């Protein structure tokens, strides 16, 4: 499992109403999740960054693929102009972004180590499509399990399963989700996200969903 603490280094991410930096929340959350997962004795856990540094989005994906990731979880905290907006949400890759994934896949040689440059365009497209379909199905399945668990421990925003073209979701052969733990632009959420106890409770939900996901795979 690869855990991706969003932002870092020169990129603080969102800044809360009380001055909280998103990168601080994502790092603390990622470390807590790492500890929980390792304590189960069931998983190998890789972090995309081991300290407060900036890691390019492309490199985050490379780390996941080099580690043979069976699941990629990117952790973030949201922000909105509407200060009343609050609650967690989970993103998976939007259909409209799948062509973007195809455009970068040749340079990365992503699909099961098949060199797409040696294939005709139609064959390459078929290989990408097959990988994307399988990966999308698994990503959606995990996202639903994750939201089901999160709903019992923290507030969810309306339409909590969302789709987007975030770069870290683009690898066509690694099931991936992006978790927004809450809104730093909301005073209540910011306070909760700064609470070690709250983060631990939320991340226990993440751990439970991961356990259920892999149990269902078995």
């Amino acid at each position: 499992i690869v855990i991706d603490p969003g932002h870092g280094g020169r990129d603080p991410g969102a800044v809360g109403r009380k001055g909280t930096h998103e990168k601080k929340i994502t790092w603390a959350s990622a470390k807590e999740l790492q500890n929980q997962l390792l304590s189960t004795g069931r998983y190998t856990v890789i972090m995309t960054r081991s300290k407060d540094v900036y890691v390019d989005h492309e490199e985050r994906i490379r780390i996941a693929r080099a580690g043979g990731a069976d699941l990629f979880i990117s952790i973030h905290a949201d922000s909105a102009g509407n200060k009343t907006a609050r609650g967690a949400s989970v993103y998976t890759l939007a259909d409209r972004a799948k062509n973007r994934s195809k455009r970068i896949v040749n340079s990365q040689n992503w699909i099961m180590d098949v060199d797409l440059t040696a294939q005709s365009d139609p064959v390459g497209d078929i290989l990408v499509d097959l990988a994307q379909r399988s990966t999308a199905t698994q990503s959606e399945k995990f996202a639903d399990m994750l939201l089901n668990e999160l709903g019992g421990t923290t507030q969810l925003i309306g339409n909590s399963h969302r789709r987007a073209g975030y770069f870290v979701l683009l690898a066509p052969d690694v099931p991936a989700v992006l978790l927004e733990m809450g809104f730093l632009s909301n005073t209540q959420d910011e306070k909760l996200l700064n609470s070690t106890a709250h983060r631990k409770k939320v991340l226990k939900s993440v751990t439970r969903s991961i356990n259920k996901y892999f149990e269902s795979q078995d």
Side-chain angles (χ1 to χ4, degrees):
I1 297 172
V2 171
I3 304 172
D4 175 41
H7 307 282
R10 66 178 186 271
D11 175 17
V15 179
R17 303 195 71 184
K18 300 286 187 181
T20 304
H21 284 186
E22 181 181 359
K23 68 176 183 178
K24 171 193 169 187
I25 300 301
T26 63
W27 175 248
S29 300
K31 287 296 293 180
E32 172 61 32
L33 181 57
Q34 179 188 39
N35 291 337
Q36 289 187 21
L37 291 174
L38 290 176
S39 71
T40 69
R42 299 173 64 178
Y43 307 108
T44 299
V45 181
I46 298 171
M47 302 274 271
T48 58
R49 61 182 177 93
S50 57
K51 55 186 177 181
D52 185 17
V53 295
Y54 179 74
V55 179
D56 287 337
H57 292 148
E58 195 169 306
E59 181 61 22
R60 294 171 196 252
I61 295 177
R62 283 202 190 98
I63 289 168
R65 297 207 69 256
D70 295 303
L71 188 62
F72 179 95
I73 303 172
S74 190
I75 299 178
H76 288 258
D78 221 333
S79 182
N82 178 3
K83 306 304 180 187
T84 64
R86 61 180 305 234
S89 60
V90 175
Y91 285 82
T92 52
L93 187 66
D95 285 341
R96 67 179 182 276
K98 289 179 180 176
N99 284 334
R100 184 183 176 202
S101 179
K102 287 181 183 179
R103 286 196 299 269
I104 60 175
V105 79
N106 281 338
S107 63
Q108 298 300 319
N109 191 23
W110 279 350
I111 302 300
M112 298 174 287
D113 296 323
V114 173
D115 182 1
L116 296 185
T117 59
Q119 307 291 340
S120 66
D121 286 345
V123 172
D125 285 347
I126 290 169
L127 289 171
V128 174
D129 284 338
L130 288 172
Q132 284 180 326
R133 286 179 201 171
S134 175
T135 300
T137 298
Q138 295 305 314
S139 298
E140 296 274 322
K141 179 180 179 180
F142 175 65
D144 288 340
M145 290 180 170
L146 177 55
L147 284 166
N148 187 55
E149 291 293 334
L150 287 171
T153 55
T154 192
Q155 181 167 326
L156 300 177
I157 196 168
N159 185 27
S160 52
H161 186 169
R162 301 181 169 201
R163 279 83 177 175
Y166 295 131
F167 198 101
V168 292
L169 300 177
L170 288 176
D173 53 354
V174 179
V177 300
L178 186 146
L179 168 62
E180 295 277 12
M181 294 182 64
F183 282 79
L184 285 173
S185 50
N186 178 273
T187 303
Q188 291 170 280
D189 269 7
E190 182 179 14
K191 183 177 180 180
L192 286 171
L193 289 171
N194 275 299
S195 163
T196 301
H198 175 75
R199 291 196 306 267
K200 187 171 184 177
K201 180 178 70 171
V202 170
L203 293 161
K204 280 184 177 179
S205 296
V206 179
T207 297
R208 284 196 301 271
S209 69
I210 291 169
N211 289 337
K212 289 182 178 180
Y213 173 74
F214 285 106
E215 285 163 7
S216 73
Q217 299 292 82
D218 293 339

